[in-house]
Amino acid sequence: MKDWIDATRAACMLVIYLFHAYVYCQLFDERLMGLIYVTINVFVVVSGYLFYQNHAAENTRRLSLRTDVRRILERLVWPSTVFATALFVPKMWFNHTEPQWDVFCYNVLGGMTFWFTSALAVAQLFFALLFAMKKPGRGWHVLVVVPFFLLGFWRPGLSDFPWRWTDGLEFTLYFALGGCYFMHEAQANRLIRRHRVVLTVLYGFIAAVYALYPTPWVFMVFNVASFPVAIACIRRFSRPHRAITFVGRNSLVFYLLCGLTPAAFATLLRHTCGIHAWTPWVVFPLSFATSAALTYGLKRCKIRWMRL
């Protein structure tokens, strides 16, 4: 796997853990929302890049749909369901609520506990079906997904539907952009290098407009404009390192633990020394290091029916 992909995933996990540290310390800042959404969608772009890369290596179209569905079950659905089941009772205790069967069905079986993996599973299933069709060609996928993206982005009263399928539909555009980058990687990199200054000025202008007018549509433009900037910076400055490779290649497990470990350390610090402005910066490294140790242990287990 390319070093910049591992570095991008690792950077995304760092931002997500910092975000959760602030959330569980009850010091949430609305300014972090833009950063976290951009981070999540950059991760989706990388997932789309890898999805198209895997399909480029496929030899038979007939087997690709079955292979894609199996990968979605092994790498997204089963791990998310198992982790959500294991965390259900501790989460009820943390929130001081009584366990209820309907809540279990909605949050765990309905894929609402880990909304990102649920939405990513929906997006990958969408593209698995799209790839199983002979038409349209892969070069048209960005245009094909636009109506589905708008449906997910608009969310006409359907945002609470199980398995976060509206978020999954919104992810389809970012997923397709990752595939488009894979198909035209050399040309895109050459364009970014040649017009680096112009693109930086344009991105700064879009960011300023979003800061002044934080509407959903302006944010969508800001979000899309962030992808080439983020990937170009990471490609420029990332270097191969064992720690970065470990986090990048095990980013799913890190994500599944990003609610448990920050919540545990935030609760511990709240009962011992109270919450201060610096508390999230203590919770952040402790929770990330603990998740790394747990991830290493889970990887050693080698669970056959799910790919961690």
Side-chain angles (χ1 to χ4, degrees), residues 149-227:
F149 164 78
L150 293 176
L151 177 62
F153 187 78
W154 183 35
R155 303 179 188 183
L158 301 173
S159 59
D160 293 331
F161 200 81
W163 281 96
R164 303 299 291 257
W165 71 276
T166 51
D167 291 297
L169 291 179
E170 184 179 347
F171 279 178
T172 56
L173 177 62
Y174 311 130
F175 209 86
L177 289 174
C180 185
Y181 178 58
F182 167 75
M183 292 185 291
H184 308 285
E185 184 173 2
Q187 299 92 318
N189 291 338
R190 188 162 54 248
L191 179 67
I192 291 173
R193 287 194 299 266
R194 185 177 301 173
H195 304 286
R196 187 176 302 168
V197 175
V198 176
L199 291 175
T200 303
V201 172
L202 179 61
Y203 178 71
F205 173 76
I206 295 173
V209 172
Y210 172 65
L212 295 174
Y213 306 99
T215 62
W217 295 104
V218 176
F219 174 70
M220 182 186 69
V221 177
F222 168 70
N223 203 4
V224 173
S226 300
F227 302 152

Side-chain angles (χ1 to χ4, degrees), residues 21-86:
Y22 271 92
V23 169
Y24 285 109
C25 289
Q26 299 178 350
L27 295 174
F28 175 70
D29 192 336
E30 287 292 338
R31 291 174 296 182
L32 291 174
M33 287 303 298
L35 177 62
I36 193 65
Y37 278 120
V38 169
T39 299
I40 289 171
N41 292 329
V42 166
F43 194 98
V44 176
V45 170
V46 173
S47 298
Y49 178 97
L50 293 174
F51 190 89
Y52 277 70
Q53 185 183 64
N54 290 334
H55 269 269
E58 291 286 343
N59 295 322
T60 56
R61 185 181 300 272
R62 183 175 299 177
L63 295 178
S64 63
L65 178 59
R66 183 171 58 188
T67 302
D68 285 335
V69 172
R70 188 182 72 247
R71 287 172 178 170
I72 293 169
L73 290 175
E74 290 180 346
R75 299 180 180 182
L76 293 174
V77 176
W78 298 138
S80 299
T81 304
V82 170
F83 271 73
T85 303

